Amino acid sequence: MPGWSVSNSNGKVRLQLRCAGQKTQGVTLPLAWEPSAVAKATQLIGRVYKLVEGQQHTLRSALEAVTAGSDTMRAGTDWKAVEDGLKQALTTGRNEIKDTTWRDNYHPYVKEAARLLTTRNPPSDGHELLRRTLERWHGKPAARAACCIAVRNLTDHAIARHRAAACWRIDVASIKELRGRPPKKRVKAVLKDGQLLHLINGVEARNPGWANVLRLLALYGLRPVELQHIQAKRREDGSLAMWCNYQKSCGGVLTAPRWIEPCPVEDITGEKQHWNLAGAMAAGLLELPLGADGKPRELNGHYVEQFLRRQPEWQELLKHCDGTGEWLRVYTFRDSYSLRAHRYKVEVGAIAASMGHSVAVHSSSYRWSSEETTTAAFKDAMG
């Protein structure tokens, strides 16, 4: 095509048309200057060429007409609106994720993608957007895996709800190519009864309210957020027990409120530590942390972890678990409850019901045994 040429302009494909006696025309295509874009560039330039040679358009108006009518090259997406729409869709619809989940698992990656899309040389399609967004988390497999999920959600939402071009779709092949090595699965830490009691007793000496928080987590295997959703009440038989009205979203289905059953730890003599937390709560005698305003402190995973990080006993446990390659976190109280209940030979369905999840989730996500309990189980079985 005489007079037509392409060149690299700041990483984008630049198309120019020189005609004798006329001013040179030039436009930048919404495509990166890289081998993977050759096929798209050839197709796009061919369509532009037909409009210009037919004397229907200037080079610029031809490009605008072609991209506006294309399912794969449509331009003009308002990415800030896409970001806001995705947050609303995830937090108020679908699985109704919590604001903290958006903050931790989506916002950092969506924010970086949105930043790239407003630079002078923005990505031209989903593959390039994901590749450039991932650069910020180089060498961090877990963050890169989360980034792939977040950015794919962003572009899917843009296509489905904001009429973005299909070229923004990120397929599984792109994710496998760009994500890199998946994060190494970490072994969840579980604490022995002695370790739990050492931690709780140490905290008790400094802050009895927070010691009771740790007792609740240990005795009932609670999710940290459930600390805000428990109360002592009577069962039908008149006995006092602990009730949890928290409803967790699992695949769009809410779990039911439930009775939570205590599974006590044992001290060095083998005596079970029942603590009677339900009785103390019913009588208004269960001391819990207060905020600076003198009102009961909000309790969730973030605030519990924030408190524990300052405790010397927890710091010792972190160092120990780092040495054994285990992952110590606030949910360790829940994992330890599961293992302890299995040690007491509680039927698995009953454990899952008290913990507020299905047997399938329990089987795939929670610890059933340790070296210690496995050895003890075989000794018992063999007499």
Side-chain angles (χ1 to χ4, degrees), residues 7-166:
S7 60
N8 182 354
S9 176
N10 294 321
K12 291 284 189 180
V13 178
R14 178 74 176 174
L15 176 63
Q16 287 188 312
L17 173 60
R18 295 181 177 88
C19 296
Q22 297 181 20
K23 185 178 179 180
T24 299
Q25 300 180 60
V27 290
T28 301
L29 306 185
L31 292 168
W33 181 267
E34 57 185 29
S36 63
V38 171
K40 287 182 180 179
T42 302
Q43 184 182 46
L44 179 60
I45 293 169
R47 292 175 179 173
V48 169
Y49 173 79
K50 289 180 180 180
L51 294 180
V52 173
E53 290 297 301
Q55 299 183 349
Q56 302 171 24
H57 290 273
T58 64
L59 189 59
R60 183 168 299 282
S61 67
L63 176 63
E64 291 173 352
V66 170
T67 55
S70 170
D71 287 337
T72 59
M73 298 303 299
R74 190 183 305 118
T77 302
D78 183 347
W79 288 101
K80 181 62 171 67
V82 175
E83 179 183 350
D84 293 342
L86 176 63
K87 180 179 180 181
Q88 182 178 21
L90 291 175
T91 56
T92 64
R94 289 165 67 170
N95 287 345
E96 295 187 6
I97 67 172
K98 295 185 177 297
D99 286 339
T100 52
T101 302
W102 168 263
R103 180 196 67 199
D104 297 338
N105 298 342
Y106 289 90
H107 183 252
Y109 315 110
V110 168
K111 182 180 179 181
E112 175 64 7
R115 185 191 69 79
L116 291 169
L117 287 161
T118 58
T119 58
R120 292 183 60 187
N121 181 29
S124 59
D125 58 24
H127 184 279
E128 186 187 0
L129 175 64
L130 180 60
R131 178 184 66 78
R132 289 173 59 181
T133 306
L134 283 167
E135 290 174 357
R136 183 166 180 176
W137 288 277
H138 177 72
K140 298 179 179 180
R144 290 174 70 86
C147 181
C148 289
I149 293 172
V151 176
R152 185 178 185 181
N153 269 271
L154 179 72
T155 58
D156 282 352
H157 186 76
I159 295 167
R161 295 289 178 265
H162 295 262
R163 299 188 70 252

Side-chain angles (χ1 to χ4, degrees), residues 141-208:
R144 290 174 70 86
C147 181
C148 289
I149 293 172
V151 176
R152 185 178 185 181
N153 269 271
L154 179 72
T155 58
D156 282 352
H157 186 76
I159 295 167
R161 295 289 178 265
H162 295 262
R163 299 188 70 252
C167 64
W168 292 106
R169 193 175 308 281
I170 300 173
D171 56 24
V172 174
S174 292
I175 290 176
K176 288 182 177 179
E177 173 192 342
L178 298 172
R179 180 188 61 196
R181 182 177 298 175
K184 184 179 180 181
K185 189 173 182 179
R186 292 183 286 184
V187 177
K188 296 177 181 179
V190 291
L191 298 178
K192 297 179 180 179
D193 291 7
Q195 292 173 312
L196 284 167
L197 290 174
H198 176 67
L199 170 64
I200 293 169
N201 292 337
V203 172
E204 170 75 27
R206 298 184 295 273
N207 195 319

Side-chain angles (χ1 to χ4, degrees), residues 208-366:
W210 272 106
N212 283 331
V213 169
L214 303 186
R215 289 188 180 99
L216 286 166
L217 291 172
L219 187 64
Y220 293 105
L222 298 171
R223 301 177 180 94
V225 70
E226 291 175 339
L227 291 163
Q228 301 288 132
H229 299 270
I230 56 174
Q231 64 181 115
K233 56 188 290 188
R234 298 283 176 183
R235 300 182 195 261
E236 289 186 2
D237 63 4
S239 61
L240 188 64
M242 200 73 84
W243 174 258
C244 178
N245 61 18
Y246 179 73
Q247 293 183 277
K248 177 179 172 60
S249 177
C250 296
V253 178
L254 294 176
T255 59
R258 69 195 193 278
W259 293 106
I260 50 177
E261 305 296 339
C263 189
V265 300
E266 296 179 357
D267 66 14
I268 194 170
T269 68
E271 183 178 353
K272 293 182 174 62
Q273 306 298 297
H274 296 283
W275 290 320
N276 191 24
L277 299 177
M281 180 174 283
L285 300 176
L286 185 63
E287 183 179 352
L288 292 172
L290 300 177
D293 58 1
K295 296 180 180 180
R297 176 71 183 271
E298 180 182 0
L299 297 171
N300 57 33
H302 171 72
Y303 291 119
V304 175
E305 183 178 15
Q306 192 177 61
F307 171 80
L308 284 172
R309 281 201 302 262
R310 300 193 297 266
Q311 309 311 306
E313 297 83 6
W314 185 256
Q315 292 168 8
E316 291 173 11
L317 290 170
L318 278 170
K319 186 175 181 179
H320 171 77
C321 289
D322 284 344
T324 59
E326 292 183 301
W327 180 24
L328 183 66
R329 54 187 187 145
V330 177
Y331 259 69
T332 294
F333 292 94
R334 187 165 166 83
D335 291 310
S336 301
Y337 172 96
S338 170
L339 182 58
R340 194 162 61 252
H342 283 287
R343 188 182 77 206
Y344 285 137
K345 298 182 175 59
V346 179
E347 191 269 326
V348 64
I351 300 174
S354 179
M355 295 182 73
H357 52 227
S358 68
V359 172
V361 168
H362 189 82
S363 299
S364 62
S365 303
Y366 288 89

